């Protein structure tokens, strides 16, 4: 759900389909994995680091690639993000290989049983975090001046700019936020 929200936020602001969005999440996942397997810092630090890496990757992509192709034809951003996705996939494959890796479990979570359905405590926690994050984002978008700036920029960029919204900064922050959500 957070991936979909982040992707939608990114598309509404940039009007570009970012086909490297999945690779941004891959980079985040590897950072979280490395922290959990090579340090004793724990899941919360790994999650925060992963969010930071996702945001930074999205910001780098926006700064050095997507910023220069806005307003042009629709195929150029698609081709650039496909190229970046391929580059990131190849780089991570060379660094870490092709075998699957599982996140380590440092807890013995139980199960919740509802009839024939079994749900792990981890799944409940993930669902709760996703719901809290989405509700928080909705509150920010609906009730803050920055949220109004995001909505105005997504709706009509030139009118938002005419009313004093720093459209470039809104785009940058939105890209970081949406990539961090992923």
């Amino acid at each position: 759900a957070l991936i979909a929200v982040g992707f939608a936020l990114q598309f509404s602001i940039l009007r570009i389909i970012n086909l490297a969005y999945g690779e941004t999440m891959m980079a985040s996942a590897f950072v979280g994995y490395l922290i959990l397997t090579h340090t004793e810092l724990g899941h919360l630090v790994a999650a925060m680091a992963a969010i930071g890496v996702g945001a930074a990757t999205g910001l780098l992509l926006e700064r050095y690639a997507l910023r220069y192709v806005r307003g042009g034809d629709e195929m150029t951003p698609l081709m650039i993000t496909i190229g970046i996705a391929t580059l990131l996939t190849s780089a991570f494959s060379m660094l870490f290989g092709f075998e699957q890796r599982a996140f380590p479990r440092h807890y013995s979570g139980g199960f919740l049983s509802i009839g024939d359905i079994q749900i792990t405590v981890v799944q409940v926690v993930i669902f709760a975090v996703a719901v809290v994050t989405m509700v928080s984002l909705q509150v920010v978008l609906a009730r803050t001046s920055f949220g109004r700036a995001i909505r105005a920029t997504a709706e009509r960029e030139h009118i938002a700019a005419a009313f004093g919204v720093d459209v470039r900064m809104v785009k940058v922050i939105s890209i970081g936020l949406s990539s961090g959500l992923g």
Side-chain angles (χ1 to χ4, degrees):
L2 293 178
I3 293 166
V5 170
F7 192 79
L9 179 62
Q10 204 169 88
F11 178 75
S12 70
I13 294 294
L14 289 182
R15 302 276 192 263
I16 291 173
I17 298 173
N18 178 2
L19 296 178
Y21 194 65
E23 282 69 16
T24 299
M25 292 177 284
M26 175 192 63
S28 298
F30 267 105
V31 166
Y33 174 80
L34 290 173
I35 288 173
L36 288 176
T37 57
H38 292 85
T39 71
E40 297 293 324
L41 296 175
H43 285 80
L44 184 61
V45 171
M48 293 297 119
I51 290 168
V53 166
T57 304
L59 290 171
L60 288 169
L61 177 67
E62 189 279 333
R63 172 67 179 98
Y64 293 107
L66 299 178
R67 182 177 294 183
Y68 303 105
V69 297
R70 284 192 215 124
D73 68 38
E74 296 151 357
M75 292 304 291
T76 303
L78 286 174
M79 299 308 291
I80 286 173
T81 59
I82 287 171
I84 291 169
T86 303
L87 176 74
L88 287 172
T89 300
S90 297
F92 276 83
S93 297
M94 287 173 31
L95 287 171
F96 299 104
F98 292 98
E99 62 276 352
Q100 289 184 342
R101 299 170 193 270
F103 275 78
R105 293 186 181 203
H106 299 290
Y107 48 83
S108 59
F111 289 93
L112 300 173
S113 295
I114 305 170
D116 291 337
I117 300 171
Q118 287 192 346
I119 303 170
T120 66
V121 173
V122 173
Q123 290 170 322
V124 172
V125 169
I126 290 170
F127 180 76
V129 168
V131 169
V132 167
T133 303
M134 288 186 290
V135 169
S136 299
L137 182 61
Q138 177 59 33
V139 168
V140 167
L141 290 175
R143 299 182 187 230
T144 67
S145 59
F146 182 68
R148 285 189 292 280
I150 289 175
R151 291 192 332 267
T153 300
E155 186 68 32
R156 299 246 198 268
E157 186 176 313
H158 61 284
I159 293 175
F163 277 93
V165 173
D166 185 352
V167 171
R168 189 183 70 72
M169 188 55 61
V170 167
K171 287 182 177 184
V172 168
I173 293 171
S174 297
I175 295 305
L177 177 64
S178 66
S179 297
L181 283 172

